[in-house]
Amino acid sequence: MTNEFDAALELHYRKEFVRAAAALQRCADAGHPQAAYVLANYYFVGAGVERDVETAHRLLMQSSEGGYAEATNFLGTLYENGEAVPCDPKK
């Protein structure tokens, strides 16, 4: 799966966001937490996919539960600021 993730990142760096999103989705579906994090960012801003903050939040949760610390940090910021999720400083 690392090879597919690396290929997805290469597409990302070449700004081929639609193709990168598809590859990241396959990786996220296979349980790759960093791929879920990157794909969540795509959904959060609408890069290569239609903007969908609910899907972004779900992917961030998946990534965080998979142990990816950056996703946990991002979720904390979203909860603290009430961005895309209801404000909940306890989370």
Side-chain angles (χ1 to χ4, degrees):
M1 188 51 55
T2 299
N3 289 339
E4 186 164 9
F5 179 68
D6 290 341
L9 288 182
E10 181 62 33
L11 292 167
H12 170 83
Y13 296 132
R14 292 194 322 236
K15 300 189 186 314
E16 295 183 38
F17 298 123
V18 172
R19 291 180 60 207
L24 289 166
Q25 184 68 63
R26 287 189 297 276
C27 293
D29 289 346
H32 194 293
Q34 190 175 1
Y37 173 78
V38 175
L39 186 58
N41 281 280
Y42 276 36
Y43 276 102
F44 196 69
V45 299
V49 294
E50 186 173 329
R51 186 172 192 272
D52 182 342
V53 294
E54 289 179 15
T55 298
H57 181 259
R58 181 182 53 76
L59 287 163
L60 285 171
M61 291 293 294
Q62 175 185 330
S63 179
S64 178
E65 290 168 0
Y68 195 64
E70 287 185 48
T72 305
N73 185 51
F74 191 9
L75 278 168
T77 300
L78 292 177
Y79 282 119
E80 182 177 43
N81 297 331
E83 295 178 47
V85 293
C87 184
D88 188 348
K90 293 179 185 177
K91 286 191 177 186

